[in-house]
Amino acid sequence: MDTKDQYLQMFFDESAEYLQQLNENVLLLEEHPEDEEIINAVFRAAHSVKGMSATMGYERLTDLTHRMESILAKVRNKEMTINEFIIDTLFSGLDYIKLLLDDIRNNGEERTDISDYLSKLEKILNNDISIQEVLVKPEKTDLNLQDFTGMIALTEEEKEEIYNKMTSNDRIYNIRVILAEDCLLKNVRGYMILKKAQELGYLAKSNPDQREIEDEDFGDSIYIKLISALKEKQIQEELADIIDVEQVIIHVEDYKVEEKAVVEQQEAKSQVDSIKKQKDGLANIQVSPTVRVDIKKLDTLMNMVGELLINKTRLEGLNIDSDVYQDIIQQLDRVTQDLHHTVMQIRMVPIGGIFNRFPRMVRDLSKELDKKIDLIIEGADTELDRSLIDELGDPLMHIIRNSIDHGIEKPAERERKGKPATGNILLQAYQKGSEIIIEVEDDGAGINTEKVIEKAIEKGIITPDEASQMEERDKLNLIFHPGFSTSEEVTDISGRGVGMDVVRNVVETLDGQVFVESELGVGTRFTISLPLTLAITQALMVVINNEVYAIPLGSISETLLVAPEEIIQVRGQDVILLRESTIPLVEAARQLNLDIEYGKYRQLEEIPVVIINSGERQIGLIVDQMLNQQEIVIKSLGKFLVNIKNISGATIVGDGDVALILDVRNIA
Amino acid sequence: MSKRVLVVDDAAFMRMMIKNILIDGGFEIVGEAGTGRDAIELYKELKPDLVTMDITMPEMDGIDAVKEILEIDKDAKIIMCSAMGQQAMVIDAIQAGAKDFVVKPFKPDRVLAAVNKLFNE
């Protein structure tokens, strides 16, 4: 990786972090417009982005952040108050930053035109009459280099005062300090020049004066009348030594005093308005000692752990009768487990990474739709495998959009229903066993299943006959059917031609599940459950028609041995009663379309049944034999074998054979 | 012996930039800090010959850090790293005793000129 790339990567990573931080803090600012901590945090983040952009030579980003920063500075100095307009302006600025960053990432250069936005910012900056524009005024008169004493001429009173202070060693020096044309932060440089002059003697007068210098209200020269006992050469050298000083011209005045007077070296008291110091601590990026690692390297590492695990399992399969062997196996087992655990930990990132983009979205959408919505986020620190996080953003966004668009009613309607005008969307994540649960819950109108049915019939997804036999839950689940969208017209918000089926697809490719519960008039809850990790999982090994299959433990609730007489027939379907609930039995071989005679299990004395959970539904899967529980490494079947019904992948078992992994959710 | 520098900036990116410039200029980077508070701790620990100090940082800004460092060591050499638009704060920092300043985006020759100047005095 060459240096430029190294910078770029860091630039992208860090500016993305700052951008997120900016989004969050501007949102906060909207709620607490007076909070200086937040203003400062926003300012700092904008400032950092500016610094980085300028360094990388991205002019538009630099310009943009610079002007945004100017606005924030005015807010901070109480020259401007936060209002909705300013918040909106800041937000669109953040959007432009994102666009520009995307440009750079995709095309290597800034393409988005920001000139309109910049002029808008400029207007905002200028409309405020109380603000003095900081402009570098051109030199009014180009005085002859040789004669500039007029610039620092003294009044009679001043003369008297100064002459009184002089001792016999003192000289009056008229000095012109010329700054380099490309001098940056001229006012600070000017301040340093004055400070230096004060160290060299008594600063009788300067033009511009200190105030004007600090306001950067001057051209390229500073004229100084200095009373000093030092030699001309030394003064010349000291001043010329300051960075950005191009030339120092000194004229010595003839005036000399005979009398000795007490010289009071007056420390010029600075009139700098004290800037409010920033307070400590705030929600912002902590620079902690971390290493950024390419996610691909972690994938490779995970793969290698998988290979190790397979070999460990094979080694265990040897089953040698020796203490040393048992010892090694135990050790190896512990180490591989720790290793697996650690790698998983490394891959874990807080789900907050995707949650924190939603407050902004909810704000924008609710404004657009004239709704009042509070988004409550809980469990943002719940950790999830990195690969899952990246995929989850879109489905979640889609669900939340749906809640805003279709779920939460307009304030007036809510009040009519006796609900608070402001709707709530609760977005929460938590770990439950080996699963991560993400819920999106709103207190909106709920899903009208009658409408769903109507629509489904209209779209030809189901027939009216089927509809009449459907349970409420199945009706709700129709929304996940491909090509289904309850929205009357395609709206900008959620009806983008992708329906909830896309959500389900994504979640299922992640080996997860999505459910919906809804009560008309009360609200809707979407629940996504995901495995902690994709790569390695505990599984029950079973035999079906002489082949070994793996069933992920996450979807198994229990295993039973059922006697044939316990089986009851309900509407031609074999079921068993388990703790007062009826559980349909399904023959695994039949589900897998194996070419054997079905129904042989009825002749067995004990039928092995695996009870499988799929959401709220349970099903009993009949297998030939249950072997053992073991850790399996999930391998995909490769791109030629995607979408094989009921098979989600494969794994390598102890003896080196391949076992298929049953995708039991689809069976259930 | 090369001079030992403590680099202070809340953006790792900026620290990297200035580090590389200084290393190319023959300096030794002995430490990095991301907040003013860390800077003070590291100053005590490392006693560097020079500190480059960002202004806006979480947990104590650069100006307060300059003041505290100068209380620990009145001869501390501190150069402020500023951006356009922070003039007033740079002035504060210089008033507080910072020796000079450099402006972001950093230009290697300017940074090195400012730094070398401090050691020539």
Side-chain angles (χ1 to χ4, degrees):
Chain A
M1 203 186 276
D2 67 24
T3 330
K4 170 91 177 169
D5 279 353
Q6 185 192 349
Y7 286 141
L8 253 185
Q9 193 49 49
M10 207 152 166
F11 170 72
F12 282 138
D13 288 349
E14 229 177 347
S15 40
E17 278 171 22
Y18 280 120
L19 189 59
Q20 183 56 47
Q21 197 186 343
L22 278 166
N23 262 309
E24 286 167 19
N25 281 326
V26 174
L27 260 184
L28 278 178
L29 193 60
E30 187 172 33
E31 284 167 43
H32 313 283
E34 301 286 311
D35 194 325
E36 282 182 27
E37 302 269 308
I38 301 171
I39 297 171
N40 282 334
V42 173
F43 186 87
R44 272 205 302 270
H47 184 74
S48 297
V49 174
K50 181 177 80 172
M52 293 190 290
S53 310
T55 308
M56 296 299 291
Y58 296 124
E59 286 172 15
R60 292 186 195 177
L61 268 179
T62 314
D63 266 11
L64 180 62
T65 39
H66 178 63
R67 310 254 174 126
M68 289 175 72
E69 200 186 294
S70 310
I71 290 193
L72 291 164
K74 287 193 191 297
V75 171
R76 187 160 71 174
N77 298 337
K78 308 249 185 288
E79 294 166 32
M80 200 183 262
T81 43
I82 290 281
N83 55 31
E84 205 184 329
F85 178 61
I86 290 188
I87 293 281
D88 282 345
T89 310
L90 288 176
F91 269 134
S92 44
L94 300 184
D95 292 341
Y96 275 116
I97 294 179
K98 175 148 196 325
L99 286 175
L100 287 169
L101 285 173
D102 288 346
D103 280 353
I104 297 167
R105 200 188 313 262
N106 299 331
N107 309 314
E109 58 177 26
E110 301 168 295
R111 293 196 174 167
T112 308
D113 182 15
I114 56 165
S115 49
D116 285 355
Y117 180 70
L118 284 185
S119 54
K120 184 177 164 193
L121 283 186
E122 202 60 32
K123 267 183 210 150
I124 296 174
L125 281 171
N126 292 337
N127 277 352
D128 204 327
I129 329 146
S130 68
I131 296 155
Q132 280 191 326
E133 242 190 297
V134 185
L135 271 180
V136 185
K137 286 181 189 154
E139 191 89 299
K140 285 155 209 153
T141 38
D142 196 12
L143 283 171
N144 181 342
L145 270 186
Q146 294 308 311
D147 183 24
F148 53 82
T149 41
M151 295 296 292
I152 34 179
L154 298 175
T155 64
E156 287 306 314
E157 280 152 20
E158 284 171 331
K159 266 183 195 159
E160 196 174 335
E161 195 192 345
I162 288 162
Y163 292 168
N164 281 338
K165 280 184 176 154
M166 286 174 72
T167 66
S168 55
N169 290 333
D170 278 335
R171 288 274 185 287
I172 299 176
Y173 296 105
N174 291 318
I175 308 169
R176 177 179 180 179
V177 182
I178 305 172
L179 289 171
E181 210 173 280
D182 59 351
C183 168
L184 295 166
L185 263 57
K186 243 172 31 175
N187 48 358
V188 186
R189 209 46 90 186
Y191 178 81
M192 286 179 76
I193 290 166
L194 288 195
K195 191 164 177 258
K196 176 61 87 180
Q198 281 160 6
E199 286 168 20
L200 296 173
Y202 171 69
L203 177 66
K205 187 166 189 160
S206 75
N207 181 7
D209 63 21
Q210 187 163 349
R211 179 97 242 171
E212 288 166 335
I213 285 177
E214 280 167 23
D215 289 341
E216 214 171 300
D217 188 5
F218 66 98
D220 67 355
S221 295
I222 296 172
Y223 303 92
I224 295 168
K225 197 181 279 286
L226 186 73
I227 319 297
S228 173
L230 297 172
K231 295 260 183 318
E232 180 183 343
K233 188 161 175 281
Q234 189 182 354
I235 293 173
Q236 164 94 34
E237 276 171 4
E238 290 273 2
L239 288 172
D241 196 45
I242 297 172
I243 287 181
D244 279 343
V245 170
E246 197 153 272
Q247 203 181 350
V248 179
I249 303 161
I250 300 184
H251 290 180
V252 190
E253 265 186 47
D254 291 336
Y255 185 84
K256 256 179 129 179
V257 282
E258 318 294 339
E259 263 178 83
K260 275 207 167 185
V262 186
V263 180
E264 235 182 300
Q265 270 252 353
Q266 223 177 327
E267 273 287 313
K269 182 108 176 75
S270 160
Q271 296 153 15
V272 184
D273 293 340
S274 77
I275 307 286
K276 280 208 159 191
K277 296 289 178 296
Q278 289 165 28
K279 288 169 204 155
D280 303 342
L282 230 212
N284 51 36
I285 293 166
Q286 296 290 321
V287 184
S288 52
T290 52
V291 187
R292 284 179 206 274
V293 180
D294 189 345
I295 186 82
K296 282 188 201 126
K297 286 187 186 154
L298 289 183
D299 288 343
T300 315
L301 187 59
M302 196 62 164
N303 264 329
M304 272 149 47
V305 173
E307 295 297 324
L308 188 63
L309 203 79
I310 289 165
N311 284 306
K312 186 209 77 177
T313 320
R314 290 184 64 182
L315 210 54
E316 277 172 349
L318 293 179
N319 212 3
I320 300 166
D321 185 19
S322 141
D323 284 351
V324 180
Y325 169 79
Q326 294 298 340
D327 234 36
I328 294 174
I329 290 290
Q330 268 183 19
Q331 287 273 5
L332 194 59
D333 195 51
R334 206 172 45 241
V335 173
T336 41
Q337 266 191 21
D338 283 357
L339 186 59
H340 174 208
H341 186 73
T342 312
V343 175
M344 258 175 67
Q345 285 292 312
I346 296 173
R347 294 173 56 93
M348 296 290 222
V349 285
I351 199 164
I354 41 175
F355 277 11
N356 56 23
R357 71 170 87 152
F358 296 128
R360 168 83 195 276
M361 186 188 93
V362 171
R363 173 197 177 270
D364 287 358
L365 283 187
S366 48
K367 222 175 144 195
E368 197 175 310
L369 294 170
D370 242 347
K371 294 180 179 180
K372 285 185 180 165
I373 300 172
D374 276 346
L375 177 71
I376 303 148
I377 291 181
E378 278 172 16
D381 52 356
T382 309
E383 292 194 324
L384 204 56
D385 193 287
R386 168 67 194 250
S387 56
L388 297 179
I389 294 269
D390 293 341
E391 299 290 326
L392 269 179
D394 286 346
L396 273 179
M397 177 175 301
H398 197 74
I399 293 174
I400 294 173
R401 277 191 162 142
N402 255 298
S403 287
I404 300 169
D405 197 14
H406 306 308
I408 305 283
E409 312 91 329
K410 299 220 166 178
E413 194 183 336
R414 290 181 63 89
E415 274 170 353
R416 210 165 42 241
K417 289 179 176 174
K419 294 183 183 176
T422 304
N424 283 320
I425 295 178
L426 173 67
L427 174 62
Q428 65 170 341
Y430 54 93
Q431 187 173 349
K432 192 174 133 193
S434 62
E435 285 189 321
I436 296 289
I437 310 291
I438 304 166
E439 290 178 352
V440 181
E441 190 177 346
D442 68 58
D443 63 350
I447 298 174
N448 186 338
T449 45
E450 294 314 311
K451 268 196 167 170
V452 171
I453 288 293
E454 259 174 53
K455 193 91 177 180
I457 294 172
E458 181 192 313
K459 298 230 168 184
I461 297 167
I462 50 165
T463 64
D465 267 1
E466 284 171 325
S468 62
Q469 286 177 12
M470 280 176 107
E471 285 179 42
E472 202 66 4
R473 194 178 57 210
D474 296 326
K475 291 180 185 170
L476 264 183
N477 282 334
L478 283 170
I479 62 168
F480 292 116
H481 204 281
F484 186 92
S485 166
T486 48
S487 179
E488 294 302 315
E489 67 240 56
V490 172
T491 63
D492 183 38
I493 288 92
S494 47
R496 288 171 193 272
V498 285
M500 296 301 292
D501 63 311
V502 176
V503 172
R504 188 167 71 171
N505 273 342
V506 175
V507 173
E508 286 187 353
T509 45
L510 299 177
D511 224 16
Q513 291 168 277
V514 55
F515 320 110
V516 55
E517 298 155 84
S518 182
E519 195 175 332
L520 204 56
V522 178
T524 307
R525 172 163 62 211
F526 284 93
T527 307
I528 295 176
S529 69
L530 292 163
L532 268 182
T533 178
L534 285 177
I536 295 174
T537 187
Q538 291 279 338
L540 174 72
M541 310 305 285
V542 299
V543 177
I544 302 165
N545 192 31
N546 298 323
E547 288 273 356
V548 177
Y549 292 85
I551 305 177
L553 230 49
S555 44
I556 298 176
S557 71
E558 61 187 301
T559 56
L560 301 170
L561 289 174
V562 178
E565 53 271 23
E566 290 177 63
I567 297 177
I568 323 165
Q569 291 244 325
V570 176
R571 283 193 228 140
Q573 161 83 55
D574 281 358
V575 300
I576 50 167
L577 275 176
L578 184 68
R579 286 183 286 275
E580 291 174 12
S581 61
T582 318
I583 295 174
L585 290 182
V586 171
E587 199 175 0
R590 190 194 288 263
Q591 289 299 319
L592 293 168
N593 261 326
L594 300 181
D595 191 15
I596 52 160
E597 187 190 332
Y598 301 132
K600 276 193 297 189
Y601 61 88
R602 293 198 187 85
Q603 294 144 31
L604 296 172
E605 276 175 34
E606 284 180 322
I607 307 163
V609 174
V610 182
I611 306 292
I612 287 168
N613 263 338
S614 175
E616 316 93 273
R617 189 187 294 228
Q618 285 195 322
I619 195 169
L621 192 68
I622 299 172
V623 297
D624 295 348
Q625 198 187 341
M626 290 184 268
L627 295 173
N628 60 337
Q629 176 190 331
Q630 71 175 58
E631 258 183 344
I632 58 164
V633 182
I634 301 174
K635 302 271 181 189
S636 92
L637 290 175
K639 58 182 171 189
F640 295 115
L641 293 173
V642 286
N643 296 329
I644 304 281
K645 203 176 167 219
N646 296 330
I647 300 292
S648 61
T651 187
I652 300 170
V653 288
D655 55 7
D657 276 356
V658 172
L660 294 174
I661 301 167
L662 291 187
D663 184 7
V664 287
R665 279 187 321 269
N666 281 339
I667 296 176
Chain B
M1 210 183 75
S2 57
K3 298 288 181 186
R4 302 161 69 251
V5 187
L6 170 65
V7 175
V8 186
D9 198 310
D10 62 335
F13 177 85
M14 279 299 170
R15 292 201 300 273
M16 185 163 76
M17 294 300 304
I18 201 153
K19 250 166 62 187
N20 288 351
I21 293 173
L22 290 173
I23 289 170
D24 287 346
F27 290 85
E28 182 194 354
I29 309 300
V30 290
E32 289 181 46
T35 69
R37 200 164 302 289
D38 290 350
I40 293 162
E41 289 312 308
L42 281 175
Y43 190 90
K44 284 188 208 158
E45 190 187 318
L46 302 167
K47 290 268 175 276
D49 300 314
L50 173 75
V51 182
T52 69
M53 179 76 73
D54 186 25
I55 292 180
T56 51
M57 282 184 296
E59 282 190 60
M60 182 180 292
D61 63 28
I63 298 161
D64 286 346
V66 166
K67 288 179 188 159
E68 289 213 21
I69 287 176
L70 284 166
E71 262 176 43
I72 299 164
D73 174 6
K74 67 175 172 42
D75 297 322
K77 289 190 168 67
I78 307 174
I79 285 190
M80 305 309 290
C81 300
S82 155
M84 302 301 291
Q86 288 187 316
Q87 281 83 337
M89 286 197 269
V90 184
I91 291 177
D92 272 7
I94 303 258
Q95 218 175 6
K99 298 284 188 224
D100 207 329
F101 68 95
V102 289
V103 182
K104 299 173 187 175
F106 299 129
K107 294 213 176 66
D109 53 335
R110 277 174 179 270
V111 172
L112 292 176
V115 172
N116 285 322
K117 194 145 280 181
L118 284 187
F119 291 113
N120 289 342
E121 274 176 9

